[in-house]
Amino acid sequence: MRARIAQALFGASIALLGGIAAAETVRITQINNPDLVELQRLPDGEYLWASDLEGLKPPVRAQRAPRNRLQFKHHGKTYEVDRGDVTLDREQALVVDACSTVPVSLKSDSRQASVKGAGEACRK
């Protein structure tokens, strides 16, 4: 009986570790504004602008990280970027033209942004 319990616990722990090791990989296809997007270098935590990384050109492979961030490697160093600052493969870019779109608010969409008065000058 103890052997079966031990086997079950061992199998569950291996499955858990396998899930952690196989974190979801995504492709960053666009950095929305490299001059204004901050990256955090790991493990020292230093912040720098995306435009300061020489040779950083999408597409870039990244992995999901805690706190709605993405982790990627560039020239052997690891960086984190906020999920809302980039566009991923198979998704549309952030809408910046209020005149040619239908306003929709999605609670779970981290790419949304709003500005008071946006769209007031649109022709009807």
Side-chain angles (χ1 to χ4, degrees):
M1 182 68 159
R2 285 186 181 175
R4 287 185 183 171
I5 293 172
Q7 278 182 327
L9 289 174
F10 179 75
S13 62
I14 292 299
L16 178 64
L17 290 174
I20 292 171
E24 183 184 359
T25 301
V26 296
R27 285 183 55 208
I28 298 172
T29 57
Q30 179 181 357
I31 298 174
N32 298 330
N33 192 340
D35 292 330
L36 300 175
V37 171
E38 277 191 320
L39 305 176
Q40 184 178 20
R41 186 171 53 213
L42 301 178
D44 63 7
E46 182 178 343
Y47 284 90
L48 54 138
W49 301 114
S51 58
D52 291 339
L53 280 186
E54 213 171 292
L56 178 63
K57 292 183 178 146
V60 176
R61 289 181 48 166
Q63 300 223 331
R64 295 198 185 272
R67 301 181 328 266
N68 203 25
R69 295 175 66 80
L70 298 171
Q71 245 180 42
F72 66 93
K73 290 193 182 271
H74 181 68
H75 293 304
K77 295 182 181 176
T78 303
Y79 298 90
E80 275 191 358
V81 62
D82 282 326
R83 168 60 189 91
D85 290 335
V86 298
T87 301
L88 299 182
D89 192 23
R90 293 189 207 111
E91 77 177 359
Q92 294 180 346
L94 178 66
V95 173
V96 292
D97 180 7
C99 295
S100 62
T101 61
V102 176
V104 175
S105 179
L106 301 174
K107 183 178 179 183
S108 63
D109 191 347
S110 62
R111 297 171 299 134
Q112 292 189 142
S114 65
V115 177
K116 185 177 180 179
E120 289 179 356
C122 297
R123 294 181 184 160
K124 296 184 181 191

